Amino acid sequence: MTDTLKLVSCNKSFGGWHKRYAHHSSTLNCTMHFSIYLPPSANPEARVPVLYWLSGLTCTDENFMQKAGAQRVAAELGIALVAPDTSPRGEGVPGDPAGGWDFGLGAGFYLNATQAPWSAHYRTHDYVVHELPALIEAVFPVDGRRAVSGHSMGGHGALVCALRNPGRYRSVSAFAPIANPVNCPWGEKAFSGYLGPERSRWREWDASLLLASAEERLPLLVDQGDADDFLATQLHPEALRQAADKAGYPLTLRLQPGYDHSYYFIASFIEEHLRFHATALQD
Amino acid sequence: MTDTLKLVSCNKSFGGWHKRYAHHSSTLNCTMHFSIYLPPSANPEARVPVLYWLSGLTCTDENFMQKAGAQRVAAELGIALVAPDTSPRGEGVPGDPAGGWDFGLGAGFYLNATQAPWSAHYRTHDYVVHELPALIEAVFPVDGRRAVSGHSMGGHGALVCALRNPGRYRSVSAFAPIANPVNCPWGEKAFSGYLGPERSRWREWDASLLLASAEERLPLLVDQGDADDFLATQLHPEALRQAADKAGYPLTLRLQPGYDHSYYFIASFIEEHLRFHATALQD
């Protein structure tokens, strides 16, 4: 499988290695980039667990690695970090016909599109849950212990990936997730496009609705800034809270005073998320 | 002085505040942006010292604040961080006539140009040493304790600002500085343009030459990656080492195995630099 990967760049970081790769994704029918951070302790005789990080609207695989400051703690804890891109890319991959930044390129919403022309490429759920981990676990000194986290659209992605796939992850967390996408403008635009107008088909991609009937109980941590410009219109953490209360799901939801939607918010709390995941990953 | 500042953005970060401002610089004859991080402990009754960070070629005031991960430690140590832009900007400010990224816009080299047309705007030494600190100390809850650090072109800038201005800084450090610019292509291009062809006038802007006759002895820490693509042709830390040895200057120069010229390198060692500066600032 190694020959399917093309190394794009490589930087030493906190004694470990940050690497960027290109590869052909059969799920997405295009060339994709991802970034991986391997802590100094990772080697074939001492494989490490992986935290998958799903970024938000307009991001690529690079934002988290450059801005979150996660490598220091990942190096200390012996956790690999993997950041995929946020949508299929490249020639032949359609973007938003309206030219928006909240649909299409950079806005795959971590779901499997059912509507043409999106369904030919926009299957980012299967990519981040199945194809990418299979590749990562075949090539790098990691094992099958997985956790998932993300921000905004990627927070929605992390929650949905965990809730739809019992047994695949040991823990899940999110920063300012789009927690109830069937009830917000970003979600309604994306789900209408990718899944079609029939709202009943949207339910299986909504974290708050999925949580209500979840089979598995995972450690679940959500941080939300109370000065986030998108909180009132797009994010709806209260829907997640209500679903968790109703289902008896062990959700830790923290409202962080003064924090906004930016990577400055993520950087401020990423250490706590990594330590939260480390506890579950190292059990 | 507050009314000369226009707040561009503001983000809570590690309990403190990251803020970006625009202001008119009389030294540079243009509108400039800078970023400041104020740790949570900073207030008018408990003023904090400032570390000035000078970035490298092509950067703005934003790169360091987004990528270095310095705020966590600055918050803990009670140090403000100030990052100016790397050149004058805007309408009427000339860039490299050849379209290069290593001269002109984003490449002010922290010196005072003497040659037309550069001398009308490119006086970034006086800006970062005098005008900006005067503004910062008038407006924000900081005091006159200053340290300076930087990367690459900004490492050169940090060294030169400290060496040319005894009494202004308590400590100086650099990551992969252009340590002997009179003897490398980046320096020769910049100094020829800004200072003219007469090489004798370049000496007063070269850290290795200035160090040889420095009056003041400051704590001085330099980190250099040994996998830095620019090490052999542009950076010449050995010239700094030789000058320090000859002058008996207390230089700590560390060659960091495997590290390159990127912000991944800076992020890996910024904590050590901040703790180094904190010792000098808190004396």
Side-chain angles (χ1 to χ4, degrees), chain A residues 11-15 18 65-67 72 257-260 262 264 267-268, chain B residues 11-15 18 65-67 72 257-260 262 264 267-268:
Chain A
N11 314 91
K12 195 167 181 182
S13 166
F14 289 95
H18 167 260
M65 294 294 188
Q66 292 177 346
K67 295 184 174 179
R72 178 183 61 87
Y259 286 89
D260 62 21
S262 72
Y264 294 107
S268 298
Chain B
N11 314 92
K12 194 167 181 182
S13 166
F14 289 95
H18 167 260
M65 294 294 188
Q66 293 177 346
K67 296 184 173 179
R72 178 183 61 87
Y259 287 89
D260 62 21
S262 71
Y264 293 107
S268 298

PDB file of all heavy atoms in Angstrom, chain A residues 11-15 18 65-67 72 257-260 262 264 267-268, chain B residues 11-15 18 65-67 72 257-260 262 264 267-268:
ATOM      1  N   ASN A  11       8.151  17.408   8.117  1.00  0.00           N
ATOM      2  CA  ASN A  11       8.783  18.338   9.050  1.00  0.00           C
ATOM      3  C   ASN A  11       8.923  17.683  10.408  1.00  0.00           C
ATOM      4  O   ASN A  11       7.957  17.121  10.934  1.00  0.00           O
ATOM      5  CB  ASN A  11       7.905  19.585   9.266  1.00  0.00           C
ATOM      6  CG  ASN A  11       7.357  20.172   7.988  1.00  0.00           C
ATOM      7  OD1 ASN A  11       6.263  19.811   7.560  1.00  0.00           O
ATOM      8  ND2 ASN A  11       8.100  21.060   7.374  1.00  0.00           N
ATOM      9  N   LYS A  12      10.089  17.785  10.985  1.00  0.00           N
ATOM     10  CA  LYS A  12      10.249  17.326  12.361  1.00  0.00           C
ATOM     11  C   LYS A  12       9.499  18.272  13.288  1.00  0.00           C
ATOM     12  O   LYS A  12       9.523  19.497  13.101  1.00  0.00           O
ATOM     13  CB  LYS A  12      11.723  17.263  12.745  1.00  0.00           C
ATOM     14  CG  LYS A  12      11.957  16.462  14.030  1.00  0.00           C
ATOM     15  CD  LYS A  12      13.427  16.130  14.228  1.00  0.00           C
ATOM     16  CE  LYS A  12      13.647  15.322  15.500  1.00  0.00           C
ATOM     17  NZ  LYS A  12      15.087  15.056  15.708  1.00  0.00           N
ATOM     18  N   SER A  13       8.816  17.706  14.277  1.00  0.00           N
ATOM     19  CA  SER A  13       7.967  18.506  15.152  1.00  0.00           C
ATOM     20  C   SER A  13       7.915  17.846  16.518  1.00  0.00           C
ATOM     21  O   SER A  13       7.464  16.701  16.636  1.00  0.00           O
ATOM     22  CB  SER A  13       6.563  18.593  14.522  1.00  0.00           C
ATOM     23  OG  SER A  13       5.609  19.068  15.442  1.00  0.00           O
ATOM     24  N   PHE A  14       8.419  18.521  17.542  1.00  0.00           N
ATOM     25  CA  PHE A  14       8.408  17.993  18.901  1.00  0.00           C
ATOM     26  C   PHE A  14       8.989  16.579  18.951  1.00  0.00           C
ATOM     27  O   PHE A  14       8.437  15.686  19.591  1.00  0.00           O
ATOM     28  CB  PHE A  14       6.993  18.018  19.486  1.00  0.00           C
ATOM     29  CG  PHE A  14       6.519  19.413  19.804  1.00  0.00           C
ATOM     30  CD1 PHE A  14       5.755  20.126  18.885  1.00  0.00           C
ATOM     31  CD2 PHE A  14       6.875  20.027  20.992  1.00  0.00           C
ATOM     32  CE1 PHE A  14       5.331  21.427  19.168  1.00  0.00           C
ATOM     33  CE2 PHE A  14       6.452  21.327  21.269  1.00  0.00           C
ATOM     34  CZ  PHE A  14       5.682  22.023  20.365  1.00  0.00           C
ATOM     35  N   GLY A  15      10.074  16.365  18.222  1.00  0.00           N
ATOM     36  CA  GLY A  15      10.744  15.077  18.240  1.00  0.00           C
ATOM     37  C   GLY A  15      10.103  14.027  17.359  1.00  0.00           C
ATOM     38  O   GLY A  15      10.708  12.984  17.095  1.00  0.00           O
ATOM     39  N   HIS A  18       5.786  15.389  11.261  1.00  0.00           N
ATOM     40  CA  HIS A  18       4.583  15.818  10.572  1.00  0.00           C
ATOM     41  C   HIS A  18       4.804  15.563   9.089  1.00  0.00           C
ATOM     42  O   HIS A  18       5.770  16.049   8.500  1.00  0.00           O
ATOM     43  CB  HIS A  18       4.355  17.305  10.817  1.00  0.00           C
ATOM     44  CG  HIS A  18       3.337  17.901   9.909  1.00  0.00           C
ATOM     45  ND1 HIS A  18       3.671  18.622   8.786  1.00  0.00           N
ATOM     46  CD2 HIS A  18       1.986  17.846   9.929  1.00  0.00           C
ATOM     47  CE1 HIS A  18       2.564  19.000   8.170  1.00  0.00           C
ATOM     48  NE2 HIS A  18       1.536  18.543   8.837  1.00  0.00           N
ATOM     49  N   MET A  65      -3.052  21.085  11.703  1.00  0.00           N
ATOM     50  CA  MET A  65      -1.657  20.794  12.025  1.00  0.00           C
ATOM     51  C   MET A  65      -0.853  22.070  12.241  1.00  0.00           C
ATOM     52  O   MET A  65       0.071  22.117  13.038  1.00  0.00           O
ATOM     53  CB  MET A  65      -1.029  19.957  10.903  1.00  0.00           C
ATOM     54  CG  MET A  65      -1.632  18.571  10.769  1.00  0.00           C
ATOM     55  SD  MET A  65      -1.278  17.513  12.225  1.00  0.00           S
ATOM     56  CE  MET A  65      -1.897  15.927  11.620  1.00  0.00           C
ATOM     57  N   GLN A  66      -1.222  23.128  11.508  1.00  0.00           N
ATOM     58  CA  GLN A  66      -0.481  24.387  11.629  1.00  0.00           C
ATOM     59  C   GLN A  66      -0.931  25.224  12.816  1.00  0.00           C
ATOM     60  O   GLN A  66      -0.135  25.981  13.375  1.00  0.00           O
ATOM     61  CB  GLN A  66      -0.662  25.218  10.350  1.00  0.00           C
ATOM     62  CG  GLN A  66       0.002  24.593   9.133  1.00  0.00           C
ATOM     63  CD  GLN A  66      -0.247  25.385   7.861  1.00  0.00           C
ATOM     64  OE1 GLN A  66      -1.115  26.260   7.823  1.00  0.00           O
ATOM     65  NE2 GLN A  66       0.496  25.069   6.815  1.00  0.00           N
ATOM     66  N   LYS A  67      -2.205  25.152  13.178  1.00  0.00           N
ATOM     67  CA  LYS A  67      -2.746  26.156  14.092  1.00  0.00           C
ATOM     68  C   LYS A  67      -3.185  25.667  15.468  1.00  0.00           C
ATOM     69  O   LYS A  67      -3.381  26.475  16.370  1.00  0.00           O
ATOM     70  CB  LYS A  67      -3.954  26.847  13.432  1.00  0.00           C
ATOM     71  CG  LYS A  67      -3.593  27.636  12.201  1.00  0.00           C
ATOM     72  CD  LYS A  67      -4.811  28.368  11.650  1.00  0.00           C
ATOM     73  CE  LYS A  67      -4.433  29.291  10.506  1.00  0.00           C
ATOM     74  NZ  LYS A  67      -5.620  29.987   9.954  1.00  0.00           N
ATOM     75  N   ARG A  72       2.600  18.987  20.475  1.00  0.00           N
ATOM     76  CA  ARG A  72       3.347  18.913  21.740  1.00  0.00           C
ATOM     77  C   ARG A  72       2.733  17.846  22.654  1.00  0.00           C
ATOM     78  O   ARG A  72       3.447  16.990  23.195  1.00  0.00           O
ATOM     79  CB  ARG A  72       3.306  20.275  22.443  1.00  0.00           C
ATOM     80  CG  ARG A  72       3.993  20.308  23.788  1.00  0.00           C
ATOM     81  CD  ARG A  72       3.846  21.686  24.443  1.00  0.00           C
ATOM     82  NE  ARG A  72       2.453  22.034  24.673  1.00  0.00           N
ATOM     83  CZ  ARG A  72       1.760  21.706  25.767  1.00  0.00           C
ATOM     84  NH1 ARG A  72       2.347  21.026  26.739  1.00  0.00           N
ATOM     85  NH2 ARG A  72       0.497  22.047  25.896  1.00  0.00           N
ATOM     86  N   PRO A 257     -16.552  30.609  28.423  1.00  0.00           N
ATOM     87  CA  PRO A 257     -16.875  32.038  28.347  1.00  0.00           C
ATOM     88  C   PRO A 257     -15.836  32.859  27.588  1.00  0.00           C
ATOM     89  O   PRO A 257     -14.645  32.772  27.871  1.00  0.00           O
ATOM     90  CB  PRO A 257     -16.949  32.470  29.816  1.00  0.00           C
ATOM     91  CG  PRO A 257     -16.294  31.397  30.596  1.00  0.00           C
ATOM     92  CD  PRO A 257     -16.364  30.134  29.804  1.00  0.00           C
ATOM     93  N   GLY A 258     -16.319  33.636  26.622  1.00  0.00           N
ATOM     94  CA  GLY A 258     -15.459  34.572  25.894  1.00  0.00           C
ATOM     95  C   GLY A 258     -14.840  34.005  24.639  1.00  0.00           C
ATOM     96  O   GLY A 258     -14.309  34.761  23.817  1.00  0.00           O
ATOM     97  N   TYR A 259     -14.906  32.701  24.450  1.00  0.00           N
ATOM     98  CA  TYR A 259     -14.224  32.095  23.302  1.00  0.00           C
ATOM     99  C   TYR A 259     -15.113  32.118  22.058  1.00  0.00           C
ATOM    100  O   TYR A 259     -16.335  31.990  22.154  1.00  0.00           O
ATOM    101  CB  TYR A 259     -13.800  30.662  23.624  1.00  0.00           C
ATOM    102  CG  TYR A 259     -12.625  30.641  24.564  1.00  0.00           C
ATOM    103  CD1 TYR A 259     -12.819  30.644  25.945  1.00  0.00           C
ATOM    104  CD2 TYR A 259     -11.326  30.680  24.082  1.00  0.00           C
ATOM    105  CE1 TYR A 259     -11.744  30.666  26.820  1.00  0.00           C
ATOM    106  CE2 TYR A 259     -10.240  30.695  24.943  1.00  0.00           C
ATOM    107  CZ  TYR A 259     -10.457  30.690  26.307  1.00  0.00           C
ATOM    108  OH  TYR A 259      -9.388  30.723  27.158  1.00  0.00           O
ATOM    109  N   ASP A 260     -14.440  32.263  20.901  1.00  0.00           N
ATOM    110  CA  ASP A 260     -15.159  32.375  19.631  1.00  0.00           C
ATOM    111  C   ASP A 260     -15.014  31.080  18.816  1.00  0.00           C
ATOM    112  O   ASP A 260     -14.765  30.006  19.372  1.00  0.00           O
ATOM    113  CB  ASP A 260     -14.680  33.617  18.870  1.00  0.00           C
ATOM    114  CG  ASP A 260     -13.207  33.565  18.510  1.00  0.00           C
ATOM    115  OD1 ASP A 260     -12.614  32.461  18.477  1.00  0.00           O
ATOM    116  OD2 ASP A 260     -12.638  34.642  18.252  1.00  0.00           O
ATOM    117  N   SER A 262     -12.787  30.427  16.430  1.00  0.00           N
ATOM    118  CA  SER A 262     -11.507  30.368  15.714  1.00  0.00           C
ATOM    119  C   SER A 262     -10.591  29.265  16.233  1.00  0.00           C
ATOM    120  O   SER A 262     -10.866  28.596  17.236  1.00  0.00           O
ATOM    121  CB  SER A 262     -10.784  31.703  15.855  1.00  0.00           C
ATOM    122  OG  SER A 262     -10.302  31.854  17.189  1.00  0.00           O
ATOM    123  N   TYR A 264      -7.921  29.919  17.690  1.00  0.00           N
ATOM    124  CA  TYR A 264      -7.442  30.347  19.010  1.00  0.00           C
ATOM    125  C   TYR A 264      -8.237  29.653  20.116  1.00  0.00           C
ATOM    126  O   TYR A 264      -7.702  29.346  21.181  1.00  0.00           O
ATOM    127  CB  TYR A 264      -7.514  31.870  19.138  1.00  0.00           C
ATOM    128  CG  TYR A 264      -6.554  32.574  18.205  1.00  0.00           C
ATOM    129  CD1 TYR A 264      -7.007  33.241  17.073  1.00  0.00           C
ATOM    130  CD2 TYR A 264      -5.187  32.537  18.449  1.00  0.00           C
ATOM    131  CE1 TYR A 264      -6.120  33.861  16.209  1.00  0.00           C
ATOM    132  CE2 TYR A 264      -4.294  33.151  17.593  1.00  0.00           C
ATOM    133  CZ  TYR A 264      -4.765  33.814  16.472  1.00  0.00           C
ATOM    134  OH  TYR A 264      -3.881  34.419  15.605  1.00  0.00           O
ATOM    135  N   ALA A 267      -6.995  25.887  20.002  1.00  0.00           N
ATOM    136  CA  ALA A 267      -5.659  25.760  20.595  1.00  0.00           C
ATOM    137  C   ALA A 267      -5.721  25.837  22.119  1.00  0.00           C
ATOM    138  O   ALA A 267      -4.950  25.166  22.819  1.00  0.00           O
ATOM    139  CB  ALA A 267      -4.736  26.847  20.049  1.00  0.00           C
ATOM    140  N   SER A 268      -6.657  26.642  22.639  1.00  0.00           N
ATOM    141  CA  SER A 268      -6.741  26.827  24.087  1.00  0.00           C
ATOM    142  C   SER A 268      -7.184  25.561  24.820  1.00  0.00           C
ATOM    143  O   SER A 268      -6.881  25.392  26.003  1.00  0.00           O
ATOM    144  CB  SER A 268      -7.715  27.969  24.416  1.00  0.00           C
ATOM    145  OG  SER A 268      -7.259  29.195  23.867  1.00  0.00           O
TER     146      SER A 268
ATOM    147  N   ASN B  11      -9.599  37.775  19.714  1.00  0.00           N
ATOM    148  CA  ASN B  11      -9.928  36.384  20.033  1.00  0.00           C
ATOM    149  C   ASN B  11      -9.427  36.043  21.419  1.00  0.00           C
ATOM    150  O   ASN B  11      -8.260  36.298  21.727  1.00  0.00           O
ATOM    151  CB  ASN B  11      -9.228  35.405  19.068  1.00  0.00           C
ATOM    152  CG  ASN B  11      -9.323  35.811  17.621  1.00  0.00           C
ATOM    153  OD1 ASN B  11      -8.441  36.504  17.113  1.00  0.00           O
ATOM    154  ND2 ASN B  11     -10.369  35.400  16.948  1.00  0.00           N
ATOM    155  N   LYS B  12     -10.265  35.445  22.216  1.00  0.00           N
ATOM    156  CA  LYS B  12      -9.790  34.944  23.503  1.00  0.00           C
ATOM    157  C   LYS B  12      -8.882  33.751  23.259  1.00  0.00           C
ATOM    158  O   LYS B  12      -9.161  32.905  22.388  1.00  0.00           O
ATOM    159  CB  LYS B  12     -10.962  34.545  24.398  1.00  0.00           C
ATOM    160  CG  LYS B  12     -10.547  34.352  25.852  1.00  0.00           C
ATOM    161  CD  LYS B  12     -11.753  34.266  26.770  1.00  0.00           C
ATOM    162  CE  LYS B  12     -11.327  34.091  28.224  1.00  0.00           C
ATOM    163  NZ  LYS B  12     -12.505  33.952  29.118  1.00  0.00           N
ATOM    164  N   SER B  13      -7.789  33.680  23.997  1.00  0.00           N
ATOM    165  CA  SER B  13      -6.790  32.642  23.772  1.00  0.00           C
ATOM    166  C   SER B  13      -6.100  32.325  25.095  1.00  0.00           C
ATOM    167  O   SER B  13      -5.475  33.214  25.689  1.00  0.00           O
ATOM    168  CB  SER B  13      -5.784  33.160  22.739  1.00  0.00           C
ATOM    169  OG  SER B  13      -4.621  32.366  22.693  1.00  0.00           O
ATOM    170  N   PHE B  14      -6.252  31.110  25.585  1.00  0.00           N
ATOM    171  CA  PHE B  14      -5.624  30.686  26.844  1.00  0.00           C
ATOM    172  C   PHE B  14      -5.931  31.676  27.966  1.00  0.00           C
ATOM    173  O   PHE B  14      -5.047  32.051  28.729  1.00  0.00           O
ATOM    174  CB  PHE B  14      -4.114  30.506  26.661  1.00  0.00           C
ATOM    175  CG  PHE B  14      -3.760  29.298  25.830  1.00  0.00           C
ATOM    176  CD1 PHE B  14      -3.521  29.409  24.462  1.00  0.00           C
ATOM    177  CD2 PHE B  14      -3.717  28.033  26.407  1.00  0.00           C
ATOM    178  CE1 PHE B  14      -3.213  28.295  23.698  1.00  0.00           C
ATOM    179  CE2 PHE B  14      -3.405  26.918  25.640  1.00  0.00           C
ATOM    180  CZ  PHE B  14      -3.156  27.049  24.282  1.00  0.00           C
ATOM    181  N   GLY B  15      -7.157  32.121  28.024  1.00  0.00           N
ATOM    182  CA  GLY B  15      -7.577  33.018  29.094  1.00  0.00           C
ATOM    183  C   GLY B  15      -7.197  34.465  28.878  1.00  0.00           C
ATOM    184  O   GLY B  15      -7.695  35.351  29.572  1.00  0.00           O
ATOM    185  N   HIS B  18      -5.915  37.742  22.159  1.00  0.00           N
ATOM    186  CA  HIS B  18      -5.162  38.014  20.946  1.00  0.00           C
ATOM    187  C   HIS B  18      -5.906  39.095  20.179  1.00  0.00           C
ATOM    188  O   HIS B  18      -7.094  38.939  19.865  1.00  0.00           O
ATOM    189  CB  HIS B  18      -5.067  36.744  20.108  1.00  0.00           C
ATOM    190  CG  HIS B  18      -4.588  36.991  18.715  1.00  0.00           C
ATOM    191  ND1 HIS B  18      -5.442  37.062  17.642  1.00  0.00           N
ATOM    192  CD2 HIS B  18      -3.360  37.225  18.232  1.00  0.00           C
ATOM    193  CE1 HIS B  18      -4.745  37.316  16.557  1.00  0.00           C
ATOM    194  NE2 HIS B  18      -3.485  37.425  16.870  1.00  0.00           N
ATOM    195  N   MET B  65       1.447  34.337  15.475  1.00  0.00           N
ATOM    196  CA  MET B  65       0.350  34.171  16.425  1.00  0.00           C
ATOM    197  C   MET B  65      -0.481  32.922  16.098  1.00  0.00           C
ATOM    198  O   MET B  65      -1.011  32.271  16.988  1.00  0.00           O
ATOM    199  CB  MET B  65      -0.545  35.415  16.424  1.00  0.00           C
ATOM    200  CG  MET B  65       0.149  36.666  16.942  1.00  0.00           C
ATOM    201  SD  MET B  65       0.559  36.548  18.709  1.00  0.00           S
ATOM    202  CE  MET B  65       1.119  38.231  19.042  1.00  0.00           C
ATOM    203  N   GLN B  66      -0.586  32.603  14.810  1.00  0.00           N
ATOM    204  CA  GLN B  66      -1.387  31.440  14.403  1.00  0.00           C
ATOM    205  C   GLN B  66      -0.628  30.117  14.526  1.00  0.00           C
ATOM    206  O   GLN B  66      -1.241  29.082  14.763  1.00  0.00           O
ATOM    207  CB  GLN B  66      -1.850  31.601  12.955  1.00  0.00           C
ATOM    208  CG  GLN B  66      -2.844  32.736  12.768  1.00  0.00           C
ATOM    209  CD  GLN B  66      -3.248  32.926  11.315  1.00  0.00           C
ATOM    210  OE1 GLN B  66      -2.602  32.397  10.414  1.00  0.00           O
ATOM    211  NE2 GLN B  66      -4.300  33.699  11.095  1.00  0.00           N
ATOM    212  N   LYS B  67       0.672  30.146  14.322  1.00  0.00           N
ATOM    213  CA  LYS B  67       1.392  28.883  14.114  1.00  0.00           C
ATOM    214  C   LYS B  67       2.406  28.490  15.182  1.00  0.00           C
ATOM    215  O   LYS B  67       2.831  27.334  15.215  1.00  0.00           O
ATOM    216  CB  LYS B  67       2.125  28.931  12.759  1.00  0.00           C
ATOM    217  CG  LYS B  67       1.186  29.021  11.575  1.00  0.00           C
ATOM    218  CD  LYS B  67       1.965  28.963  10.270  1.00  0.00           C
ATOM    219  CE  LYS B  67       1.044  28.882   9.073  1.00  0.00           C
ATOM    220  NZ  LYS B  67       1.803  28.853   7.800  1.00  0.00           N
ATOM    221  N   ARG B  72       0.112  29.794  24.989  1.00  0.00           N
ATOM    222  CA  ARG B  72      -0.042  28.972  26.194  1.00  0.00           C
ATOM    223  C   ARG B  72       1.018  29.329  27.228  1.00  0.00           C
ATOM    224  O   ARG B  72       0.717  29.558  28.407  1.00  0.00           O
ATOM    225  CB  ARG B  72       0.070  27.482  25.828  1.00  0.00           C
ATOM    226  CG  ARG B  72      -0.020  26.532  27.006  1.00  0.00           C
ATOM    227  CD  ARG B  72       0.174  25.086  26.559  1.00  0.00           C
ATOM    228  NE  ARG B  72       1.479  24.875  25.945  1.00  0.00           N
ATOM    229  CZ  ARG B  72       2.591  24.575  26.610  1.00  0.00           C
ATOM    230  NH1 ARG B  72       2.562  24.442  27.930  1.00  0.00           N
ATOM    231  NH2 ARG B  72       3.742  24.400  25.980  1.00  0.00           N
ATOM    232  N   PRO B 257      18.959  18.671  15.699  1.00  0.00           N
ATOM    233  CA  PRO B 257      19.018  17.654  14.641  1.00  0.00           C
ATOM    234  C   PRO B 257      17.657  17.329  14.031  1.00  0.00           C
ATOM    235  O   PRO B 257      16.707  17.056  14.760  1.00  0.00           O
ATOM    236  CB  PRO B 257      19.621  16.437  15.343  1.00  0.00           C
ATOM    237  CG  PRO B 257      19.485  16.687  16.796  1.00  0.00           C
ATOM    238  CD  PRO B 257      19.407  18.169  17.004  1.00  0.00           C
ATOM    239  N   GLY B 258      17.595  17.378  12.702  1.00  0.00           N
ATOM    240  CA  GLY B 258      16.392  16.970  11.972  1.00  0.00           C
ATOM    241  C   GLY B 258      15.408  18.086  11.707  1.00  0.00           C
ATOM    242  O   GLY B 258      14.495  17.929  10.895  1.00  0.00           O
ATOM    243  N   TYR B 259      15.573  19.229  12.348  1.00  0.00           N
ATOM    244  CA  TYR B 259      14.587  20.310  12.206  1.00  0.00           C
ATOM    245  C   TYR B 259      14.897  21.174  10.995  1.00  0.00           C
ATOM    246  O   TYR B 259      16.061  21.402  10.646  1.00  0.00           O
ATOM    247  CB  TYR B 259      14.537  21.161  13.477  1.00  0.00           C
ATOM    248  CG  TYR B 259      13.849  20.431  14.594  1.00  0.00           C
ATOM    249  CD1 TYR B 259      14.586  19.616  15.465  1.00  0.00           C
ATOM    250  CD2 TYR B 259      12.475  20.501  14.754  1.00  0.00           C
ATOM    251  CE1 TYR B 259      13.955  18.913  16.479  1.00  0.00           C
ATOM    252  CE2 TYR B 259      11.841  19.797  15.768  1.00  0.00           C
ATOM    253  CZ  TYR B 259      12.575  19.008  16.630  1.00  0.00           C
ATOM    254  OH  TYR B 259      11.947  18.307  17.612  1.00  0.00           O
ATOM    255  N   ASP B 260      13.825  21.676  10.378  1.00  0.00           N
ATOM    256  CA  ASP B 260      13.944  22.469   9.153  1.00  0.00           C
ATOM    257  C   ASP B 260      13.672  23.953   9.446  1.00  0.00           C
ATOM    258  O   ASP B 260      13.807  24.408  10.580  1.00  0.00           O
ATOM    259  CB  ASP B 260      13.029  21.896   8.053  1.00  0.00           C
ATOM    260  CG  ASP B 260      11.559  21.948   8.434  1.00  0.00           C
ATOM    261  OD1 ASP B 260      11.162  22.739   9.315  1.00  0.00           O
ATOM    262  OD2 ASP B 260      10.777  21.184   7.823  1.00  0.00           O
ATOM    263  N   SER B 262      10.803  25.602   9.106  1.00  0.00           N
ATOM    264  CA  SER B 262       9.370  25.897   9.164  1.00  0.00           C
ATOM    265  C   SER B 262       8.902  26.301  10.556  1.00  0.00           C
ATOM    266  O   SER B 262       9.647  26.244  11.542  1.00  0.00           O
ATOM    267  CB  SER B 262       8.575  24.670   8.731  1.00  0.00           C
ATOM    268  OG  SER B 262       8.658  23.664   9.731  1.00  0.00           O
ATOM    269  N   TYR B 264       6.965  24.512  12.205  1.00  0.00           N
ATOM    270  CA  TYR B 264       6.992  23.305  13.034  1.00  0.00           C
ATOM    271  C   TYR B 264       8.248  23.277  13.908  1.00  0.00           C
ATOM    272  O   TYR B 264       8.225  22.789  15.038  1.00  0.00           O
ATOM    273  CB  TYR B 264       6.894  22.048  12.163  1.00  0.00           C
ATOM    274  CG  TYR B 264       5.551  21.932  11.481  1.00  0.00           C
ATOM    275  CD1 TYR B 264       5.409  22.168  10.118  1.00  0.00           C
ATOM    276  CD2 TYR B 264       4.412  21.618  12.210  1.00  0.00           C
ATOM    277  CE1 TYR B 264       4.176  22.094   9.500  1.00  0.00           C
ATOM    278  CE2 TYR B 264       3.170  21.537  11.605  1.00  0.00           C
ATOM    279  CZ  TYR B 264       3.054  21.773  10.254  1.00  0.00           C
ATOM    280  OH  TYR B 264       1.824  21.705   9.647  1.00  0.00           O
ATOM    281  N   ALA B 267       7.627  26.107  16.629  1.00  0.00           N
ATOM    282  CA  ALA B 267       6.675  25.640  17.646  1.00  0.00           C
ATOM    283  C   ALA B 267       7.328  24.658  18.620  1.00  0.00           C
ATOM    284  O   ALA B 267       7.007  24.634  19.808  1.00  0.00           O
ATOM    285  CB  ALA B 267       5.457  25.002  16.974  1.00  0.00           C
ATOM    286  N   SER B 268       8.264  23.859  18.098  1.00  0.00           N
ATOM    287  CA  SER B 268       8.888  22.834  18.944  1.00  0.00           C
ATOM    288  C   SER B 268       9.757  23.437  20.040  1.00  0.00           C
ATOM    289  O   SER B 268       9.980  22.802  21.075  1.00  0.00           O
ATOM    290  CB  SER B 268       9.731  21.889  18.079  1.00  0.00           C
ATOM    291  OG  SER B 268       8.926  21.201  17.137  1.00  0.00           O
TER     292      SER B 268
END
